[in-house]
Amino acid sequence: MEAIERNLREEAKRLLAEKKVDVIVGYEAGTLPLTATPTFITDPAEAERLVWNPLCVHNLAKYVHDVITQHRNSQKRVKPESRTRKVVGVVARGCTSRSIILHLQERQYGREDIVIIGVPCQGYIDRKKLSVSLNGEEVLSGTIEGDEIKVMTGTGEKRLRLSDVLADNCITCRFNNPIISDVSLGEPASAMKAEEEFNEVNAFEQLSSDERWAYFEKEMAKCIRCYACRQACPSCYCPECFVEQSRPQWVGIGGDASDTQVFQIMRIFHMVGRCVDCGSCIAVCPMGVDLRKFLKKLDKDAFELFGSRAGSSLEDPPVLSTFKEHECEDFIYNP
Amino acid sequence: MEKRLIKKDALAGIPKKIRENFTVFAPVKVEDNVVFKELEPQEEPLVGHYQNTKNAPKGVFFPRTEVMMRYVRTPKGVQLKGIEMAAADAVLFGVRPCDARSFALLDLLFDQEKYKDPYYIAKREKATVVTLACARVPYRTCFCTSVEGGPLDGKGSDVLITDLGTDFLVEFLTPKGEKLGSYFEGTPASEEAEKKKEEVKQKAEGEIVSHIPAREIKPILDVNFDHPFWDTIHKKCLACGTCTYLCPTCHCFDISDEMKYDDGRRLRNWDSCMYPLFTKETSGHNPRPTQKERWRQRTMHKFKYYVDNFNAIACVGCGRCVMYCPVNIDIRKIVEDISKLQ
Ligand code: SF4
Ligand code: SF4
Ligand code: SF4
Ligand code: SF4
């Protein structure tokens, strides 16, 4: 980990100093113990702030899209001959690189607009799991040592196994290394329990439709429609989301349960073949809504019916924007 | 103002007794969170053994969504129908001092001499606030002492309960509070108890580790509406509004109408300066077009505009926004950084 971090800072410094990139999107230490937070580095001297460790949660492809789009918009009023390009360097692990591939396939930006600094990933810590295993006690300080986390709380020192508090999506991830990159740091990481990827969905599928709907209703009742999930999601990049349109207004903004359900159903269905299971939406949800169960079901369908995994290869186009002659159509006649 | 000492094991039973005659709101454990909510018959309130609730209690007076009026569309035009405004007598039990202070701050806005918000006032007037002082400071992110509050502060409270180690000291701070006197059986507090409370206060204040120059930044904000600093906060912000929804003092709302066939209702919902729709005008123009202007608004509103309007800082130092921001935007650091601007 330390070696990767050292190389990462060197690489970032070099890319900025040689003007290969205008900004590096990466992670730095947060202001609270045992946290890391997204950061934007433009000055080579600031590259020292970059970190890479299991506290790095967010899928940074979202910010790559933000930065490039904002820059493009700012260029609209500039004469064509004076327009500039902004090249974004990004610290990318497996899922981040999948989102980038998706962006490239959906023509959100070009390969020349980005420099991918690939890092191997052994999963990130799920803050909610961490909090539960500490009985909700506040973390006063903490360090990660190999496979162990040492945490100080008000009642003393606790030692936790890293693998016990990793996010569910990380434990079953099969893309632990970036799929495309310009610079690749460290030794490739290996998968943990990739074969259990669909276990939870399989179990859920066994329930009756009433039971499944009851679960959906229960989870969605927690949702306060802050839209953090949508905001954190690299695949949710519409300039204006349907929930914010007012002519016509598709969903009410009051507390009606059906409005929340409509938002969620729509967002989830917009993720068919586009969700990379990075877990960002779940990580940022303040209410602990189980979105993954539903997203993963679509993921499974896209894989089992069409042999597609979102962003798993530049050559393999997104499932909903391609038609292959012999692909599965049964569900159209026999839903 | 009456003061009483009550036995430590007596406290837990009190909210339930009060519930016989009042609607009670209290901290309750729901799944993995401790939330401030209306106490249901089968629910056990947490008293004493919790840090602070995840949500702020402001929702009791200023709910996330509420009906302001109803109307019906008829062939002769729209007919307005009022709504029932009267609120039930309520007791908020186990509020933390920072959150109690937020009520005093919200009163400044919703209950002014000239402008009165009948929806807020109807509920607020009927409610008694029973506060549990922070004899032990719950979080390292607490900074109430930097924003004119404190772990034993009684502002905004009607009754203040302080753990003195051996007993609880119960202070009835207002006539509303005194009306609850019969629920707290105990003995009159001596001067000894006063002294003990002072010790607890000193100790608790010493436990606060976060300090911010909250008042000091006002003159800097006065003259730095345009400053490159405003480009540095917002880039990673997700615009989720978690910070404002959890904040005990954030109070922006948005009004919208909803129709079902011919029945309409006018709703007011929490709004947030973090949202792209915030202050977006009908024409499509938004004076705060990006997250940069929105974050400037949030900072200015708390540390400048509220001070201009009411001579009070619109932050009580509860630290919720610091703890729960999904991308770790830290208001303590923002204030600190502003204090260092040239
Ligand atoms: S982040 Fe959670 S609470 Fe917010 S809109 Fe998404 S599911 Fe709902
Ligand atoms: S701004 Fe943050 S710390 Fe201050 S009162 Fe609001 S939530 Fe609490
Ligand atoms: S900010 Fe102060 S009053 Fe609020 S919970 Fe922390 S110590 Fe208690
Ligand atoms: S909680 Fe954080 S990410 Fe969400 S709107 Fe507030 S500052 Fe932005």
Side-chain angles (χ1 to χ4, degrees):
Chain A
M1 239 6 123
E2 289 79 44
I4 296 180
E5 223 168 63
R6 219 170 27 247
N7 292 342
L8 170 62
R9 292 172 184 163
E10 279 309 310
E11 250 342 293
K13 201 181 292 171
R14 184 182 66 79
L15 288 168
L16 286 164
E18 292 175 3
K19 306 229 180 306
K20 294 260 168 54
V21 300
D22 297 290
V23 56
I24 300 250
V25 186
Y27 306 92
E28 66 178 327
T31 61
L32 299 174
L34 280 185
T35 60
T37 173
T39 187
F40 302 80
I41 309 262
T42 48
D43 176 356
E46 301 267 287
E48 287 305 310
R49 294 216 309 261
L50 291 169
V51 300
W52 174 246
N53 57 42
L55 303 167
C56 300
V57 172
H58 308 87
N59 183 335
L60 298 180
K62 173 232 159 30
Y63 293 111
V64 174
H65 194 283
D66 278 4
V67 172
I68 296 178
T69 311
Q70 274 158 22
H71 179 72
R72 290 227 177 116
N73 290 341
S74 76
Q75 295 294 300
K76 278 188 184 152
R77 294 187 181 186
V78 178
K79 280 199 227 100
E81 59 275 20
S82 330
R83 283 187 191 155
T84 57
R85 218 155 48 92
K86 188 164 198 163
V87 181
V88 180
V90 54
V91 179
R93 57 179 168 224
C95 50
T96 314
S97 76
R98 292 174 71 191
S99 290
I100 292 172
I101 289 178
L102 217 70
H103 286 164
L104 292 169
Q105 291 174 327
E106 295 177 347
R107 301 196 195 284
Q108 292 303 302
Y109 44 78
R111 188 66 182 85
E112 66 285 1
D113 294 321
I114 48 172
V115 173
I116 304 170
I117 309 173
V119 285
C121 180
Q122 291 287 16
Y124 60 78
I125 294 175
D126 177 335
R127 298 287 308 166
K128 289 169 195 120
K129 279 194 194 173
L130 181 67
S131 164
V132 169
S133 47
L134 296 172
N135 291 321
E137 285 179 50
E138 190 189 20
V139 177
L140 302 183
S141 64
T143 46
I144 301 174
E145 291 164 12
D147 190 34
E148 209 180 51
I149 318 174
K150 254 186 9 194
V151 189
M152 227 18 215
T153 72
T155 56
E157 190 187 280
K158 315 237 151 63
R159 281 165 185 274
L160 305 169
R161 284 233 316 272
L162 185 59
S163 50
D164 289 341
V165 291
L166 288 182
D168 291 341
N169 53 301
C170 298
I171 295 171
T172 60
C173 173
R174 59 177 72 238
F175 298 93
N176 305 70
N177 302 287
I179 291 161
I180 51 169
S181 62
D182 297 295
V183 184
S184 161
L185 305 176
E187 293 296 311
S190 47
M192 282 166 269
K193 295 183 181 165
E195 68 289 352
E196 293 178 15
E197 179 180 23
F198 297 131
N199 282 11
E200 236 187 89
V201 178
N202 292 341
F204 192 61
E205 282 172 350
Q206 299 309 311
L207 302 178
S208 70
S209 76
D210 284 347
E211 287 169 310
R212 278 179 279 146
W213 180 253
Y215 186 77
F216 179 75
E217 274 191 319
K218 167 178 98 66
E219 286 303 306
M220 297 314 147
K222 296 186 209 164
C223 172
I224 56 172
R225 260 195 291 154
C226 65
Y227 306 135
C229 47
R230 177 194 73 186
Q231 296 298 99
C233 174
S235 293
C236 271
Y237 55 67
C238 292
E240 193 180 41
C241 178
F242 74 97
V243 291
E244 265 133 21
Q245 287 174 337
S246 53
R247 282 182 304 185
Q249 190 182 31
W250 302 104
V251 288
I253 60 170
D256 198 296
S258 69
D259 286 323
T260 303
Q261 292 166 1
V262 167
F263 158 62
Q264 293 286 2
I265 290 173
M266 288 294 278
R267 189 184 98 84
I268 290 168
F269 275 101
H270 284 173
M271 293 302 131
V272 180
R274 302 181 68 238
C275 169
V276 300
D277 202 13
C278 64
S280 289
C281 53
I282 301 142
V284 300
C285 174
M287 308 312 290
V289 179
D290 179 7
L291 300 168
R292 185 163 182 255
K293 189 84 90 276
F294 309 103
L295 290 163
K296 202 67 194 160
K297 163 68 177 153
L298 296 179
D299 198 15
K300 181 181 172 213
D301 286 354
F303 179 64
E304 292 186 345
L305 299 173
F306 302 99
S308 159
R309 288 187 196 274
S312 59
S313 133
L314 254 179
E315 287 69 46
D316 188 13
V319 64
L320 281 196
S321 53
T322 37
F323 174 71
K324 291 184 195 142
E325 206 178 337
H326 300 293
E327 78 193 2
C328 165
E329 288 175 350
D330 305 353
F331 65 94
I332 298 175
Y333 312 110
N334 181 20
Chain B
M1 186 187 71
E2 211 206 316
K3 292 178 190 192
R4 245 178 247 172
L5 283 177
I6 63 162
K7 291 261 171 322
K8 284 203 91 163
D9 50 8
L11 190 69
I14 295 176
K16 286 200 170 160
K17 260 199 289 169
I18 298 180
R19 220 186 140 268
E20 289 164 13
N21 302 311
F22 294 83
T23 307
V24 172
F25 296 85
V28 177
K29 181 134 198 218
V30 180
E31 292 192 2
D32 296 331
N33 295 318
V34 176
V35 293
F36 199 83
K37 65 182 285 291
E38 188 178 335
L39 199 59
E40 310 284 344
Q42 74 289 358
E43 273 175 342
E44 280 296 321
L46 296 171
V47 277
H49 305 292
Y50 66 95
Q51 296 172 303
N52 198 359
T53 52
K54 187 160 188 184
N55 59 334
K58 69 175 175 189
V60 176
F61 307 135
F62 173 50
R64 186 156 69 87
T65 174
E66 83 185 299
V67 180
M68 303 177 81
M69 64 170 200
R70 295 179 189 279
Y71 49 88
V72 206
R73 193 161 44 192
T74 70
K76 292 199 203 102
V78 171
Q79 262 177 25
L80 302 184
K81 291 199 286 188
I83 55 151
E84 185 55 55
M85 292 277 287
D89 285 313
V91 171
L92 282 68
F93 199 97
V95 175
R96 288 296 181 194
C98 50
D99 291 340
R101 191 183 160 74
S102 78
F103 301 145
L105 293 172
L106 292 175
D107 291 346
L108 296 175
L109 178 99
F110 284 123
D111 193 1
Q112 304 178 29
E113 208 158 288
K114 192 156 164 215
Y115 303 106
K116 300 214 177 277
D117 185 297
Y119 306 94
Y120 174 90
I121 293 173
K123 297 186 255 306
R124 176 81 169 106
E125 271 178 346
K126 289 293 189 83
T128 308
V129 179
V130 180
T131 299
L132 191 64
C134 298
R136 298 221 44 201
V137 170
Y139 306 102
R140 293 170 68 93
T141 42
C142 289
F143 58 93
C144 48
T145 48
S146 300
V147 285
E148 293 151 11
L152 268 67
D153 181 38
K155 185 118 188 219
S157 308
D158 299 301
V159 179
L160 181 67
I161 306 176
T162 311
D163 187 347
L164 297 185
T166 44
D167 315 81
F168 283 111
L169 173 68
V170 183
E171 297 170 90
F172 300 92
L173 304 177
T174 64
K176 245 199 239 172
E178 274 164 6
K179 289 212 184 101
L180 290 185
S182 60
Y183 295 95
F184 296 86
E185 278 172 39
T187 52
S190 58
E191 246 171 62
E192 187 63 23
E194 267 309 288
K195 264 211 262 145
K196 194 77 207 288
K197 183 189 166 190
E198 191 51 38
E199 277 166 34
V200 173
K201 180 164 177 252
Q202 295 297 336
K203 185 161 166 294
E205 284 179 359
E207 279 177 21
I208 301 255
V209 291
S210 291
H211 302 277
I212 65 163
R215 274 276 175 184
E216 290 83 334
I217 65 167
K218 163 78 166 75
I220 304 176
L221 294 175
D222 282 342
V223 295
N224 281 309
F225 189 79
D226 289 306
H227 190 286
F229 172 74
W230 299 114
D231 279 315
T232 64
I233 309 173
H234 69 281
K235 287 204 188 86
K236 62 181 174 178
C237 176
L238 298 173
C240 66
T242 297
C243 49
T244 56
Y245 273 24
L246 296 183
C247 177
T249 67
C250 279
H251 53 258
C252 287
F253 57 82
D254 186 28
I255 295 173
S256 71
D257 282 10
E258 279 183 10
M259 300 273 310
K260 206 172 197 180
Y261 307 111
D262 286 332
D263 292 317
R265 32 182 220 159
R266 178 155 297 175
L267 298 170
R268 96 158 151 195
N269 299 289
W270 286 357
D271 199 355
S272 164
C273 55
M274 296 290 108
Y275 291 157
L277 282 187
F278 182 76
T279 61
K280 188 166 177 186
E281 296 162 7
T282 320
S283 65
H285 170 73
N286 192 336
R288 301 186 180 87
T290 73
Q291 209 61 15
K292 167 183 162 179
E293 292 81 15
R294 296 175 202 132
W295 244 109
R296 177 171 61 199
Q297 163 67 17
R298 181 156 202 265
T299 317
M300 288 279 190
H301 195 185
K302 298 210 170 291
F303 299 98
K304 170 175 156 55
Y305 306 147
Y306 224 70
V307 183
D308 284 336
N309 293 339
F310 307 113
N311 191 24
I313 296 169
C315 166
V316 295
C318 68
R320 285 186 178 89
C321 58
V322 179
M323 284 185 277
Y324 301 116
C325 170
V327 294
N328 181 235
I329 292 183
D330 188 331
I331 197 134
R332 296 173 305 168
K333 181 166 185 303
I334 293 171
V335 171
E336 189 68 51
D337 288 349
I338 293 175
S339 74
K340 292 185 195 132
L341 293 183
Q342 298 305 323

